[in-house]
Amino acid sequence: MTALSPARTEPDLSFLLDHTSHVLRTRMAAALGEIGLTARMHCVLVHALGAERTQVQLAEIGDMDKTTMVITVDALEKAGLAERRPSSADRRARVIAVTAKGAEVAAASQRIVDGVHEAALGSLPAGEREVLVAALTRLSEGGLATPSPTPVPARRARQARLK
């Protein structure tokens, strides 16, 4: 006995957003990997350059947990791209300061990120690009701005590491 699937009344928005997001993340990871960065490292560098920010603030911007943030900053320090320094506003707090080498890498990584985004949008006609970006912006700032509270938090998909 086979059960018939219920008829869909709306497009599968979850699949469309998940699939395109996954492909975009893999392309971004490959492109940034060519200069030795991860997307998280890029995020920390560009946002630490924009203002004096603590690890906690940068973790919030990058949607990272504390452990992931520490590992990311450790990697940036090891590569000589950033360092932890006392905050000028609160001597108890530590901020992430980007080194001169880190600023150069951040500029290069931003060009890479922009290129990946441009290539992805380039597969659409110009008018559709603008509509897509405007619609996604409205969703991210409006109807899909805040996750719903749940008893068990929804996990974001993890990417399998290639060996």
Side-chain angles (χ1 to χ4, degrees), residues 53-118:
R53 293 189 169 111
T54 64
Q55 275 188 197
V56 171
Q57 291 169 322
L58 290 167
E60 286 178 15
I61 291 168
D63 196 25
M64 290 179 248
D65 60 46
K66 183 178 178 179
T67 302
T68 302
M69 183 63 188
V70 168
I71 291 168
T72 302
V73 175
D74 286 349
L76 289 169
E77 281 190 315
K78 185 176 179 180
L81 304 177
E83 56 192 27
R84 293 170 174 98
R85 292 185 186 158
S87 167
S88 63
D90 179 356
R91 63 187 179 109
R92 297 168 297 168
R94 309 277 288 166
V95 297
I96 306 307
V98 179
T99 65
K101 178 182 174 186
E104 291 174 13
V105 171
S109 67
Q110 189 61 59
R111 287 189 298 274
I112 290 169
V113 167
D114 290 345
V116 170
H117 290 160
E118 181 182 9

Side-chain angles (χ1 to χ4, degrees), residues 28 31-32 35 37-39 41-43 45-46 49 102-116:
M28 192 69 69
L32 288 171
I35 63 167
L37 286 189
T38 65
M41 293 167 80
H42 165 76
C43 179
L45 284 176
V46 298
L49 274 171
E104 291 174 13
V105 171
S109 67
Q110 189 61 59
R111 287 189 298 274
I112 290 169
V113 167
D114 290 345
V116 170

Side-chain angles (χ1 to χ4, degrees), residues 63 139-140 142-150 152-156:
D63 196 25
L139 281 173
S140 71
L144 296 177
T146 308
S148 296
T150 60
V152 178
R155 293 192 58 177
R156 291 187 172 192

